[in-house]
Amino acid sequence: MGLDRTEILATAGAPPNSGARLWLESVSAGMRTVEAVIRELSQNDVPVLVVAEHGSGKAAAAARIHALSSRASEPFQVYHGSEASEEILAARDGQGGTVYLQDVGDLAAAAQKELVRQIGLHGKGNDNDNGDDQRRRVPRFICGTSRELEAEVKAAKFREDLYYGISGVCLRMPPLRQRKEDIPVLRDWFLSAAARDFCRPVPVLSPETQNFFLEYSWPGNIRELKDAARAIVALGDETLAMGGLRSLLRRVDRGGNGEKISLKDAARAASREAEREIILQVLTRTRWNRRRAAQELQISYKALLYKLKQIGYEEYGA
C-alpha cells in the first residue's frame, strides 16, 4: 500500500470525493474496509487524518489503531483542537504513545506550528546512535476532523505544511446511514450497556421500533443511536423514548411537500424533546426527588436544576 498522499475511502462504493472507546466487529462492507485499513495502519507510525461526520467514531478508530500497534502499552491521549495549546503539545514530546487531536482544524496558530515540528521528528535519529529509541519517544499523531481542511488552508486558517503533514494517509469513515447493516449490532450493544448502567433488564424491542432504527437517517450517527438506546432503557418505555425521533421522521417525510427541514436543527429539537421526556419520567418515578433523579440520570444535581429551568419546571420538586 502506498502511503504517499494516499486517501483511503472507507465508504463502500463511494466516489473519491464523497464525503474507554467502543469498537465492535462490523457487518457492513464499508466498515470491514475501515477495519482492514486500521490493522495496516497500526503496523507503522505515519500520521493519520480521520475524516467523518460528527458522532461517526473517529476517536474510536484512533484508539483502535493505537490498541493494535506496538505502542499499545504506552499512553493514548485525547485532546480537543481548541484545548491543545502549544505548551500541551510540547509537553507530549518525548512521552511516546499516541495523541489523538479531535477537531484538529480548531488548533491555534502556535499549536499548529508545534505540531509541524513534532511530526517532522518522525523517522529522524539523533547523534547518539539511539535513533530507534528516539523515534519511539516521539508520539504518534492521529487527527480527526469533520471539516474539509483544504478549504481552511485556502482561507489561511490552517497551515498548508501541517495539512500535508497529517493527511499523508486520510481515513474516511462512513456515516451510520451508509452502514445500516451495523445498526442492529450497535443498537443491541448499547441497549445491553445501558441496562447494566441502570440496573435494568435488557429491553426486547417491538418489530416497529426495530424497523424504525433501520429506517431513520441518524444525523447524529453513532452518538445519537447510543442516546436513543439509553433513553429506551432509562424510561422503560420505547414508545415514549422514540417519540421525538418518530416525529422527526414524519416531518422529514412531509418535507417533500415543500416544507424545508434542516436535519441538524430537527435532530436537536428531537433530542431536546427526548431529554425532556426522560427527565420528567425519572422525576415521576422518584416522586420528584431531584437529588435521586440526578443520581439516576447520572448527571450532577446542578446540571439537573439547569435542565429543569430550561423546560420550565425549576419550581417543582425538592
Side-chain angles (χ1 to χ4, degrees), residues 77-84 88-89 92 99-103:
Q77 296 288 338
V78 179
Y79 300 103
H80 190 278
S82 62
E83 301 170 347
I88 287 177
L89 293 180
R92 294 299 310 160
V99 174
Y100 173 64
L101 293 174
Q102 180 179 334
D103 293 329

Side-chain angles (χ1 to χ4, degrees), residues 271-289:
S271 177
R272 286 194 296 269
E273 182 179 341
E275 182 180 81
R276 176 182 179 277
E277 294 292 348
I278 291 171
I279 290 172
L280 295 180
Q281 181 82 3
V282 172
L283 283 167
T284 299
R285 187 163 54 242
T286 61
R287 297 184 180 182
W288 283 84
N289 185 312

Side-chain angles (χ1 to χ4, degrees), residues 91-114:
R92 294 299 310 160
D93 189 2
Q95 300 301 310
T98 301
V99 174
Y100 173 64
L101 293 174
Q102 180 179 334
D103 293 329
V104 68
D106 291 339
L107 281 176
Q112 292 185 34
K113 182 178 179 181
E114 173 61 22

Side-chain angles (χ1 to χ4, degrees), residues 168-195:
V169 176
C170 182
L171 175 64
R172 290 187 179 269
M173 299 184 65
L176 190 56
R177 63 183 174 275
Q178 292 181 9
R179 46 179 292 207
K180 291 196 171 185
E181 303 94 324
D182 295 324
I183 288 176
V185 175
L186 291 165
R187 178 200 65 209
D188 291 348
W189 197 94
F190 286 130
L191 286 171
S192 296

Side-chain angles (χ1 to χ4, degrees), residues 110-185:
Q112 292 185 34
K113 182 178 179 181
E114 173 61 22
L115 186 53
V116 168
R117 184 189 73 80
Q118 291 203 44
I119 288 176
L121 295 176
H122 278 277
K124 294 182 179 180
N126 58 23
D127 296 331
N128 298 320
D129 296 326
N130 195 24
D132 211 38
D133 290 339
Q134 176 69 18
R135 283 194 295 273
R136 288 191 62 80
R137 287 199 296 273
V138 177
R140 183 200 190 153
F141 288 95
I142 302 176
C143 302
T145 186
S146 301
R147 310 200 301 251
E148 290 298 335
L149 292 181
E150 286 186 3
E152 305 281 318
V153 171
K154 291 178 181 177
K157 295 180 180 179
F158 198 79
R159 291 177 63 119
E160 185 174 17
D161 55 352
L162 177 55
Y163 172 68
Y164 285 104
I166 64 175
S167 64
V169 176
C170 182
L171 175 64
R172 290 187 179 269
M173 299 184 65
L176 190 56
R177 63 183 174 275
Q178 292 181 9
R179 46 179 292 207
K180 291 196 171 185
E181 303 94 324
D182 295 324
I183 288 176
V185 175

Side-chain angles (χ1 to χ4, degrees), residues 235-284:
L235 286 173
D237 185 333
E238 66 180 69
T239 301
L240 181 61
M242 301 303 290
L245 294 181
R246 287 197 177 94
S247 174
L248 170 61
L249 189 61
R250 287 193 294 271
R251 287 184 60 201
V252 171
D253 288 341
R254 290 198 303 270
N257 296 325
E259 181 183 356
K260 291 184 178 180
I261 296 172
S262 162
L263 274 180
K264 185 178 293 186
D265 291 342
R268 289 197 194 100
S271 177
R272 286 194 296 269
E273 182 179 341
E275 182 180 81
R276 176 182 179 277
E277 294 292 348
I278 291 171
I279 290 172
L280 295 180
Q281 181 82 3
V282 172
L283 283 167
T284 299

